[in-house]
Amino acid sequence: MYDLTSKVALVTGAASGIGLATARRFAAAGAAVILVDRNADGLAAAVESLGDGRHRGVTMDVTDEAAWAKLADEIDRDAGRLDILVNNAGFGVFRSIADTTLDHWRAIMAVNLDSVFLATKHLLPLLARSGNSAIVNMSSIRGIAAAANTGSYCAAKGAVRMFTKATALECAALGNGVRANSIHPGHIATPLSAGVHADPAIAARLLADIPVGRVGTPEEIADAILFLASDASKYMTGAELVVDGGSTAQ
């Protein structure tokens, strides 16, 4: 049920962290993976790490609509199909509302939310053509439960959660075979979060909020994404899968 042989998958933010772990899971399951990231060097290393010639890297800004339109045309020309879309690219810089500038707000929205809309808009025709495809959008526990000094990030991830549900219902109404679900990680040890986890005081506060007593790994989130992308979840759409060590159960 986790067999992705003959499928084509696209993962954004794929040069490191959860995106790279997901690309590796997909490749191991048999998919040809298109890795998208703005980090050209990291992307080249990521593609090389997958170990065969089925995969390709695309260096691009996920907030650039023209780049998405161009990539959709290239995938159509080269592969003729797309079966899985994982909108993983994102970042967070946490500040109080008073210290959040409009430029900061817009940057958070652009990468975490606008990119999800743009990828969905331009790649949906290819996904629909497959007739049995999956969109997995990266939200967060902050798309479900807020915290102080995370206003812009909460707003973006909450919007991803609801956009995913709207996408699922629209695709179901069209009968195009596209499922859409969101995934909501808790605290995960990634390169982007390394600075936070390296601070003993902050790390202690984080661990105190996680019932299982540890942060998660990118591979654990990738496993959940593989489930949502595969036929193992074929009756799931418009759902939110929380993978957080019990944080939001409190």
Side-chain angles (χ1 to χ4, degrees):
M1 296 180 76
Y2 295 96
D3 183 9
L4 303 183
T5 301
S6 80
K7 292 186 178 292
V8 178
L10 186 150
V11 182
T12 68
S16 64
I18 293 170
L20 177 54
T22 300
R24 287 173 172 163
R25 286 289 191 268
F26 285 177
V33 187
I34 302 166
L35 295 81
V36 175
D37 205 290
R38 65 181 181 179
N39 179 351
D41 292 340
L43 193 59
V47 173
E48 184 177 359
S49 75
L50 297 186
D52 63 54
R54 291 178 299 140
H55 318 293
R56 61 173 291 209
V58 178
T59 305
M60 63 175 267
D61 178 354
V62 293
T63 70
D64 182 344
E65 181 166 17
W68 277 114
K70 180 174 180 288
L71 181 55
D73 288 342
E74 290 176 355
I75 296 171
D76 191 12
R77 180 194 67 211
D78 297 339
R81 64 183 297 151
L82 183 67
D83 304 280
I84 300 163
L85 168 62
V86 179
N87 285 306
N88 167 71
F91 80 105
V93 177
F94 306 123
R95 301 173 181 171
S96 68
I97 294 170
D99 290 333
T100 299
T101 65
L102 184 57
D103 285 345
H104 165 80
W105 173 274
R106 287 175 172 166
I108 291 286
M109 292 297 167
V111 177
N112 290 283
L113 177 59
D114 293 356
S115 67
V116 176
F117 160 69
L118 292 171
T120 303
K121 175 182 177 180
H122 289 282
L123 298 178
L124 194 53
L126 280 169
L127 292 162
R129 185 187 302 171
S130 294
N132 177 25
S133 55
I135 299 171
V136 183
N137 291 331
M138 183 62 65
S139 183
S140 165
I141 57 170
R142 294 294 163 245
I144 297 172
N149 300 317
T150 63
S152 55
Y153 189 73
C154 286
K157 291 304 189 179
V160 168
R161 174 177 174 244
M162 293 308 295
F163 178 75
T164 303
K165 292 178 183 297
T167 301
L169 293 175
E170 183 171 320
C171 290
L174 291 170
N176 61 14
V178 180
R179 298 183 297 109
N181 295 289
S182 58
I183 187 159
H184 300 255
H187 300 293
I188 307 300
T190 69
L192 286 177
S193 66
V196 173
H197 295 145
D199 184 313
I202 296 176
R205 288 200 301 272
L206 291 178
L207 288 176
D209 288 336
I210 305 172
V212 300
R214 67 172 179 86
V215 297
T217 68
E219 290 73 22
E220 287 171 320
I221 305 304
D223 287 338
I225 293 172
L226 176 60
F227 166 70
L228 290 176
S230 74
D231 282 346
S233 61
K234 62 185 177 182
Y235 196 54
M236 288 179 66
T237 194
E240 53 208 41
L241 183 57
V242 179
V243 189
D244 69 350
S247 294
T248 56
Q250 302 176 96

